Amino acid sequence: MTREITHFINGEHVKGTSGRFSDVFDPNTGEVQARTPLATAEEVARAVKSAEEAQHEWQDVNPQRRARVLFAFKSLVESHMEELAELLSSEHGKVVADSRGDVQRGLEVIEFACGIPHLQKGEYTDSAGPGIDVYSMRQPLGVGAGITPFNFPAMIPMWMFGMAIATGNAFILKPSEKDPSVPMRLAELFIEAGGPKGLLNVVHGDKEAVDAILENETIKAVSFVGSSDIAHYIYSKGTANNKRVQAMGGAKNHGIIMPDADMDQVVKDLVGSAYGSAGERCMALPVAVPVGKDTADELVERMMAEIPKLRIGVSTDKDAHYGPVVSAAHKQKIESYIKMGVDEGADLLADGRGFTLQGHEDGFFVGPTLFDNVTPDMQSYKEEIFGPVLQIVRADDLEEAARLPSEHQYGNGVAIFTRNGLAAREFAAKVNVGMVGINVPIPVPVSYHSFGGWKRSAFGDTNQYGMDGVRFWTKVKTVTQRWPSGDIGDQAFVIPTFQ
Ligand code: NAD
């Protein structure tokens, strides 16, 4: 009998009632290991109701106490690191060391959120007028929701609920149906850490549950991370229903390699960031742009020497560099993009199609793939592949190289590798992309800055976590107060000014 995932509503496991399910695979073997229930609108409404009730009390809990719950949660997650990482790998397919990183990067946002007493402080102006003071405070929105992708099932939920709950909101999490177990464990650990029941609910589902979230009047804000078409849909529908929405989408990040770059570092970084996690990272580097023919030729030669050394293995293999991709459908999609690249005339130097791992012939493995002479008009360049595929686009100079990420439909991350500080500085200032790495291949900002791309990589105007996280999950109230000490003068019929 296949294991059945439950929803987590009001601190309890609740069996799905829709009769509709989505399969959870073991990507190493291709077998179905569990099934995720797909919620009805009624089940979503039930979770929202319990969140609303819990939030009424939580909003009055002082920020220091809220921080204590998050602090206890952080310690509990740390003590369950191995269990969480193994569970994550078993459904996602990334290697266990990478899954630890997934949990750890989420925890860093929880650590940041533990500073909420300081972060949520308002502003105060003493004597803005005679006997008049002005102060502003950041109040919670009420109930918020998060809809998350399969590729970071620990980190991205923690980005969202960490900030939402710290600022005094309740939260409904709709995780990816492909790897639902880690989000469920996080919600359980939150209760174990002393979090009130109903404050963090997990409802699984597809478009039906998502639409129910977007139409629910009690939900005031929706945070989304996933592919761009869905992000745009969430943003349009959520804002049309008067919700605050931040919706992060897909990516196609470029790494620009200048002739003066440290090639040893470049090759190491490119191999890790193009093929790590089987390329299923929104901050992966799937496009390399060497500047000048010599740089390009050297890069190709060195990459071709590295690729055979890559070890592709099951997610529990400690020596594997990367594991399988998440599903058979995704493997097929990646392989069809490789075919597209060939049909479009790019040079396929390493072909990951048809890769099989002995003993795991039905696993969803894709070998490392390298294309040279990719051009910007190719469809396989314009679209996100989200697999272990590196495309080399040659450029003659920095100007031509910099135009590529700036003009691409996505604008999540970009990296430049160089020893020239001035060139790097100008590139960072001018490039039309939201997150820039200088000799850093995967520039995911630390938790006290904030994460967000540009163009079709993000809809909405606030980033994830950092101070933008505090802003997104709160609304500002400004109070102007007067405590007159005597006669307050004549009744005023004109707008007061402070001259
Ligand atoms: P996805 O868009 O398929 O799914 C994301 C979420 O949306 C899931 O919870 C899913 O159940 C839900 N969903 C799917 N179809 C829907 C529909 N028709 N209506 C409503 N909801 C729907 O994305 P994915 O495959 O899980 O994740 C990979 C994508 O996420 C890639 O495009 C990747 O670049 C992107 N991503 C972006 C960032 C970022 O911060 N920009 C971070 C991680 C992943």
Side-chain angles (χ1 to χ4, degrees):
M1 211 19 210
T2 315
R3 181 167 57 95
E4 195 170 313
I5 309 289
T6 56
H7 303 299
F8 193 73
I9 300 175
N10 204 27
E12 276 158 28
H13 291 270
V14 182
K15 224 169 134 46
T17 59
S18 70
R20 295 193 308 122
F21 296 90
S22 176
D23 288 336
V24 180
F25 293 95
D26 175 348
N28 296 303
T29 62
E31 280 163 18
V32 174
Q33 57 166 314
R35 51 184 203 161
T36 309
L38 304 174
T40 60
E42 193 277 327
E43 287 169 311
V44 171
R46 220 172 117 198
V48 175
K49 192 165 182 301
S50 87
E52 190 178 21
E53 284 167 13
Q55 199 269 337
H56 277 307
E57 291 188 20
W58 185 245
Q59 66 186 356
D60 293 330
V61 172
N62 75 51
Q64 205 143 8
R65 281 175 178 255
R66 280 187 250 138
R68 277 184 205 136
V69 172
L70 288 169
F71 206 89
F73 172 71
K74 170 188 125 64
S75 304
L76 261 182
V77 172
E78 275 167 349
S79 62
H80 287 78
M81 178 62 89
E82 280 315 300
E83 174 208 330
L84 289 165
E86 279 164 27
L87 189 58
L88 199 159
S89 287
S90 73
E91 292 182 351
H92 178 287
K94 63 174 89 170
V95 295
V96 175
D98 206 24
S99 292
R100 277 186 215 112
D102 190 331
V103 178
Q104 180 56 33
R105 287 305 295 251
L107 271 184
E108 287 168 15
V109 172
I110 302 294
E111 284 169 355
F112 172 73
C114 286
I116 205 65
H118 179 66
L119 301 172
Q120 205 175 345
K121 276 192 308 202
E123 294 177 327
Y124 188 91
T125 302
D126 170 58
S127 297
I132 294 176
D133 310 314
V134 180
Y135 62 93
S136 58
M137 49 186 138
R138 291 200 161 269
Q139 296 191 327
L141 305 175
V143 178
I147 300 158
T148 53
F150 80 82
N151 70 323
F152 281 101
M155 177 182 83
I156 295 177
M158 281 195 268
W159 285 359
M160 296 177 182
F161 74 70
M163 296 310 302
I165 286 176
T167 46
N169 301 283
F171 197 79
I172 311 288
L173 174 63
K174 205 305 287 169
S176 170
E177 63 284 7
K178 298 191 178 91
D179 45 11
S181 295
V182 165
M184 288 295 283
R185 279 299 286 141
L186 292 174
E188 289 168 359
L189 292 173
F190 181 73
I191 298 289
E192 213 179 308
K197 287 185 174 179
L199 205 64
L200 175 56
N201 302 280
V202 184
V203 181
H204 305 283
D206 56 2
K207 187 170 184 301
E208 187 173 332
V210 170
D211 282 343
I213 287 171
L214 296 172
E215 285 161 11
N216 190 296
E217 285 182 10
T218 305
I219 294 176
K220 301 298 180 209
V222 176
S223 182
F224 173 88
V225 176
S227 53
S228 289
D229 287 348
I230 312 288
H232 186 250
Y233 172 75
I234 305 278
Y235 184 75
S236 310
K237 187 163 175 143
T239 50
N241 286 334
N242 300 320
K243 296 183 201 318
R244 192 176 282 189
V245 182
Q246 54 179 192
M248 277 60 191
K252 189 94 181 197
N253 308 319
H254 295 58
I256 290 171
I257 300 134
M258 296 296 286
D260 66 351
D262 173 347
M263 277 309 243
D264 292 340
Q265 184 210 340
V266 168
V267 170
K268 244 189 251 163
D269 284 348
L270 263 186
V271 169
S273 53
Y275 302 126
S277 200
E280 293 172 316
R281 289 185 185 134
C282 67
M283 288 295 272
L285 269 187
V287 181
V289 188
V291 173
K293 185 175 182 311
D294 292 350
T295 318
D297 291 345
E298 186 185 350
L299 181 72
V300 167
E301 194 187 320
R302 295 184 65 162
M303 287 300 293
M304 287 305 286
E306 287 305 309
I307 286 173
K309 296 184 205 154
L310 281 175
R311 184 178 163 108
I312 294 100
V314 290
S315 50
T316 46
D317 179 349
K318 286 192 176 60
D319 298 321
H321 294 107
Y322 74 83
V325 302
V326 72
S327 65
H330 193 50
K331 176 180 153 98
Q332 229 168 46
K333 183 176 151 194
I334 295 165
E335 294 189 340
S336 71
Y337 271 115
I338 300 174
K339 179 178 181 306
M340 186 193 288
V342 174
D343 293 346
E344 289 177 317
D347 296 334
L348 182 60
L349 305 183
D351 186 355
R353 289 174 295 179
F355 177 94
T356 49
L357 187 70
Q358 212 183 1
H360 291 82
E361 285 75 10
D362 294 328
F364 311 139
F365 296 92
V366 182
T369 300
L370 182 67
F371 276 108
D372 193 6
N373 294 311
V374 173
T375 54
D377 56 311
M378 293 179 182
Q379 206 58 26
S380 59
Y381 164 79
K382 291 180 185 163
E383 293 176 12
E384 180 183 45
I385 300 177
F386 220 55
V389 180
L390 179 63
Q391 295 170 298
I392 296 178
V393 185
R394 293 173 173 233
D396 288 334
D397 52 34
L398 177 56
E399 204 186 321
E400 185 190 342
R403 253 201 321 270
L404 293 165
S406 286
E407 290 177 0
H408 201 280
Q409 62 163 331
Y410 294 116
N412 216 36
V414 69
I416 185 166
F417 298 91
T418 181
R419 288 187 168 96
N420 182 335
L422 182 61
R425 186 173 184 273
E426 281 187 9
F427 171 80
K430 292 195 181 132
V431 70
N432 188 16
V433 170
M435 291 174 279
V436 182
I438 298 176
N439 298 315
V440 171
I442 305 184
V444 176
V446 291
S447 62
Y448 39 97
H449 284 260
S450 69
F451 182 105
W454 289 3
K455 298 180 281 182
R456 275 181 64 76
S457 293
F459 303 92
D461 53 11
T462 41
N463 282 356
Q464 298 278 349
Y465 63 79
M467 281 313 292
D468 256 17
V470 177
R471 287 181 203 109
F472 182 78
W473 294 108
T474 56
K475 55 192 173 190
V476 176
K477 181 179 281 175
T478 307
V479 179
T480 304
Q481 66 175 1
R482 177 165 64 184
W483 298 101
S485 53
D487 181 10
I488 60 167
D490 293 337
Q491 204 167 14
F493 289 97
V494 293
I495 188 161
T497 56
F498 300 109
Q499 290 160 353

